[in-house]
Structures are given as C-alpha cells and as structure tokens.
Amino acid sequence: MTIQLHDTLRGSKVPFEPLNEGRVTMYLCGPTVYNYAHIGNARPAVVFDVLARLLRRHYDLTFARNFTDVDDKINAAAIESGKPIGEITERFKRAYNEDMGALGVLPPDIEPCATDHIGEMISMISALIEKGHAYEAEGHVLFDVDSNPDYGTLSKRDLREMIAGARIEVAPYKKAAHDFVLWKPSTPELPGWDSPWGRGRPGWHIECSAMAEKHLGNTIDIHAGGQDLVFPHHENEMAQSTSAHDGQAFARYWLHNGFLSLDHEKMSKSLGNVLLVHDLIKQIPGEVIRLALLSAHYRQPLDWSDETIESASRMLDRLYGAIRGVTVSDAALRAAEPPAGLLAALEDDLNTPKAMAEFFSLARSLNKTTDAATREQLAAAMLASGQLMGLLQQDPEDWFAGDVEGELGSEEIEALIEKRRAAKADKDFTTADAIRDQLLAAGVRIEDGPDGTSWRRA
Ligand code: AMP
Ligand code: ZN
C-alpha cells in the first residue's frame, strides 16, 4: 500500500512517506470563530476527515485542527453585537463542532485555540527576531521576507512581480512592502497580551506556526486547508516556521481543496448567497451534505445546487436500499474490509468520485445476489466502506424514515411519479394532474424531460 498525495509545493502527486515510520502528523487550518460555517468551509473539514480516516487504517495519526479565536473580524463582530469576544468565540466554536458533527466529521485529536498559545507565539516571534528574520517597528513586529530566500516557492509567486502588482499603501514602519505582521499593538478596548513589544495581539499566520510546533513538532507530515490559504497564509506559515527552525522543513506535504461555488457564483455575503451548514442541516440530512461534498475530487471546484443535493440523496437511497433488510452479524462486520478498488481510489490522492463508483458496484453485486451468506458478506463490505468514508452509519430503516419527516420520502415520490406516468400512458390526465398537484402541495416540483420525469423539493 502506498498512498499518493498531491503536494502543492512540489506541484505534483507523490508517494506519501511520513517522517517517522508508522506515525503521521496532520494540521488543518480551522475556522475563524465569529459566525456560522458555510458550506464551503465544510468542504475541507469533510474531505480531510476522510483522509484522517484513511490514514488511521495504516498509521498512528495525530490530527490537529485549530480555532482562530483572536482576529480583527471577531473584534468587529463583538463591537457590532455588543457581546464580549469570549462569548462570541465560545458560541461559534460549539456551533462549528455541532455542525461538522452533523456532517459526520469526527473530532480531530487536538483542537488548539489561538488564545491558549500566546506564550508560544511570543517565543517564536522572539526567536525570529534573534535569528534576524523579524524586526520590531513602532510596537509591531514584522517578518523580514527578504531574509528567507525560499519565500514564494509554495504559491509559486515571484516577489518582484508581487511588489510591482501591489497597489496597497505601505505602512511607514515596514522595511519592505511585502513584510507581514507577526505582532501588532492593541488599543485598550481590543484584546491584548503583554509582550516584549508592548501590549498587543498576534498576526493570523504566526498562530498556526506556533500551534503546529507545540502539538506536532517542527516538521509536520501533512498541512491542509482550502486553496485560498496557499497565499499568503501558508506561504507565510512556511516562511516563519522554517526560519524559526533553521531551515528544517515545515510540512512534508501540502494539501489544498478546491473551492465550492453556489449555482456557479462565488459565495459571498455581499451577493447574499451564503449557505450556512447550520441552516442547511435543518432541511437536508447531514449525510446527504457530506456525500455531496465528496462527490467531486477534492482538488476540483465543486458547484453546489439543488441538483447536487438531489443526486446525493438518490445515491444514499440506492446504498441504503441495497443493505436494507440484510442482517449483518457482528462477526461479519469485524471481518469486513472495504473492497480493494475502493481503497485504491482513496489511496490515489483521495479520489472520492472513483471510490463512490466502487461503492455502487458493491451495491449492484449485492442487489443481484440471492445467496444469503454472500449478501451478508457484501453488506458487511458496504458497511466497512461506509465507515471509511463516514457514510451509511445509520440503520437503513431510519434513513428511509428520516427523509419523510413531515414530507414525502424519495421512495414515495418515485412511486407517485411512476403512478403518474402510468396514468398518462392510459390517457388518464385527471389522475396525472392530481398527482402533480399532490406532489406540489407536498413541496415537490416535477419536470418532464426526454429521459423521463425528474423531481426536486421546491
Ligand atoms: P475561514 O474561516 O474563512 O478561514 O475558512 C475556513 C476554511 O474554509 C479554510 O480552509 C478555507 O480555505 C475554506 N474555505 C472557505 N471558503 C471556501 C469555499 N467556498 N470552498 C471551499 N473551501 C472554502
Ligand atoms: Zn493556518
């Protein structure tokens, strides 16, 4: 078994080898806790949860996902709502874990909070100053980008191009326009900590470098996050950590997920098209959202629409439908393994669409088989696969009962559509129209097309 992962730094897919045999460390940049997570924020949490589950099959994994609980956006939210900062961050930390839990994301081993690591950040900043990689200026500490010749290698950016393209006003205390903040002064009403440079607060990038060092060591195996973090966040993390550790590699593999768009538009507050997981899980089972997030390869863009949700829901109907009514003994479950094809797909840079195809092939075999023992074996393999991907974790009866919840379930809808088709074939248009109205009243919109009738919840 060799896991292949696409490493952003090398720019290619490479065999994964941890620094220490048998052990793996992974760090995922977590949320800034000042509001609810949107569906795009859930993508890294879900895809790297699958990676964590896969790695745990072979390695002793230590997985850290942080909370950024000190940030100017949090300060702004506190001022706007008139609530204390701690109340806001606690509320949204809890909400994040509840929402991700609803999507089947297992808790990571460590969930460090930035505010619990100010001492470590101050130590790292002091070391950077001492080693000539950072300087103090007017209560700020800045990272001296020119002191790190490798700066720009992760995001493949040329520093000169960046400077030429920058139209921002340069703070007078900076030696160079591209130097970034490690520490900045706080006014009395803002959160602040005493430091050798006066009362202040950390820059965002140093938070992750300090937390990764404290919990996972100088060199971590995998560093993950969304592709928007490559620059400047991860470029800056890498510069800080390698400079503080005298050139030791910071992360052996950098993994970045692609972006999720909503009906082909960028999700943004100003466009008013931000879908919060918190709201979505009240309407759609978390498992449907999870599968929808895994339906595209993690490095590809993923467009979120009613169709994405509908198709994931139908996929789960098929998977649960296959195992429904098959009794699987504990012994069979313990002995079960996901099929080799599914494992190979996940081990190939987390190819979840291919893994799902393998999953369906298993379901098809099960549906075709009549021998009870073979059916039990196949159902057990499906459950083992489900465990690896965080799917099929509920009783099939609960799944089919669950999507009724005051509404028509998918199976009932399909049955009504079939009845309507038969009525239309018999030229009984009164019945056909009555069924359409019945579906519409239940909030289900149908559409007749060349390939038959499709439906969606209105
Ligand atoms: P933030 O709280 O904005 O730092 O985001 C938390 C995580 O969500 C980061 O890993 C981001 O890269 C990721 N992220 C934010 N927006 C999207 C999106 N639309 N699609 C995929 N990932 C996203
Ligand atoms: Zn980070």
Side-chain angles (χ1 to χ4, degrees), residues 170-449:
V170 179
Y173 48 81
K174 280 191 178 184
K175 275 208 265 184
H178 47 251
D179 290 351
F180 59 88
V181 166
L182 301 173
W183 189 263
K184 56 189 165 190
S186 278
T187 50
E189 65 282 5
L190 287 175
W193 290 263
D194 289 332
S195 81
W197 321 287
R199 185 177 173 279
R201 59 195 197 280
W204 172 35
H205 318 301
I206 197 73
E207 297 178 6
C208 287
S209 283
M211 289 186 275
E213 179 198 68
K214 162 92 186 283
H215 296 284
L216 305 178
N218 291 0
T219 300
I220 59 180
D221 288 308
I222 298 171
H223 196 318
Q227 70 181 18
D228 59 321
L229 300 187
V230 176
F231 185 84
H233 187 51
H234 288 167
E235 190 75 62
N236 291 357
E237 277 188 39
M238 186 167 96
Q240 293 161 166
S241 296
T242 50
S243 300
H245 302 139
D246 305 319
Q248 269 181 71
F250 174 41
R252 291 166 62 78
Y253 303 86
W254 288 92
L255 269 60
H256 293 102
N257 65 270
F259 249 45
L260 181 144
S261 55
L262 204 57
D263 288 320
H264 300 288
E265 287 207 56
K266 186 178 179 293
M267 233 188 301
S268 92
K269 263 196 193 151
S270 55
L271 289 173
N273 67 341
V274 176
L275 253 190
L276 302 179
V277 176
H278 195 71
D279 296 330
L280 210 55
I281 53 176
K282 291 180 190 140
Q283 302 153 21
I284 307 164
E287 197 174 355
V288 172
I289 303 173
R290 181 181 181 94
L291 179 50
L293 287 170
L294 296 173
S295 62
H297 187 267
Y298 78 95
R299 283 194 287 118
Q300 297 301 317
L302 169 63
D303 188 53
W304 191 268
S305 67
D306 287 349
E307 227 163 88
T308 326
I309 300 165
E310 225 178 81
S311 130
S313 181
R314 276 200 301 266
M315 284 185 193
L316 284 168
D317 280 346
R318 277 162 63 195
L319 295 178
Y320 274 114
I323 56 168
R324 192 180 200 178
V326 186
T327 310
V328 180
S329 68
D330 287 347
L333 199 55
R334 270 196 305 274
E337 279 285 318
L342 190 145
L343 285 172
L346 292 182
E347 284 160 5
D348 181 13
D349 194 30
L350 217 60
N351 191 337
T352 52
K354 178 115 187 283
M356 285 316 297
E358 297 286 339
F359 219 142
F360 284 117
S361 131
L362 204 53
R364 274 195 302 277
S365 307
L366 176 51
N367 288 336
K368 273 194 263 169
T369 309
T370 47
D371 175 65
T374 316
R375 279 173 64 77
E376 182 181 9
Q377 248 177 30
L378 289 169
M382 282 187 70
L383 292 173
S385 309
Q387 207 155 37
L388 180 58
M389 300 191 71
L391 299 169
L392 293 197
Q393 298 302 290
Q394 49 179 318
D395 188 305
E397 297 309 326
D398 290 341
W399 163 260
F400 286 111
D403 69 357
V404 176
E405 245 179 64
E407 293 180 330
L408 291 176
S410 329
E411 284 198 332
E412 288 167 276
I413 296 169
E414 303 282 356
L416 282 168
I417 289 175
E418 176 50 29
K419 223 166 120 184
R420 176 171 166 269
R421 194 200 55 74
K424 274 192 0 185
D426 289 345
K427 304 221 177 317
D428 176 1
F429 296 112
T430 319
T431 304
D433 287 348
I435 294 172
R436 176 189 281 272
D437 292 345
Q438 182 189 349
L439 285 166
L440 206 56
V444 179
R445 212 172 271 286
I446 55 174
E447 218 162 276
D448 296 318

Side-chain angles (χ1 to χ4, degrees), residues 132-187:
H133 292 291
Y135 58 95
E136 186 189 357
E138 295 178 27
H140 293 72
V141 181
L142 292 130
F143 186 86
D144 183 349
V145 167
D146 289 335
S147 76
N148 187 306
D150 293 333
Y151 193 87
T153 48
L154 180 66
S155 55
K156 324 274 182 268
R157 277 168 201 244
D158 183 319
L159 223 46
R160 282 174 298 270
E161 241 174 62
M162 282 158 54
I163 303 160
R167 291 217 189 99
I168 40 156
E169 217 172 285
V170 179
Y173 48 81
K174 280 191 178 184
K175 275 208 265 184
H178 47 251
D179 290 351
F180 59 88
V181 166
L182 301 173
W183 189 263
K184 56 189 165 190
S186 278
T187 50

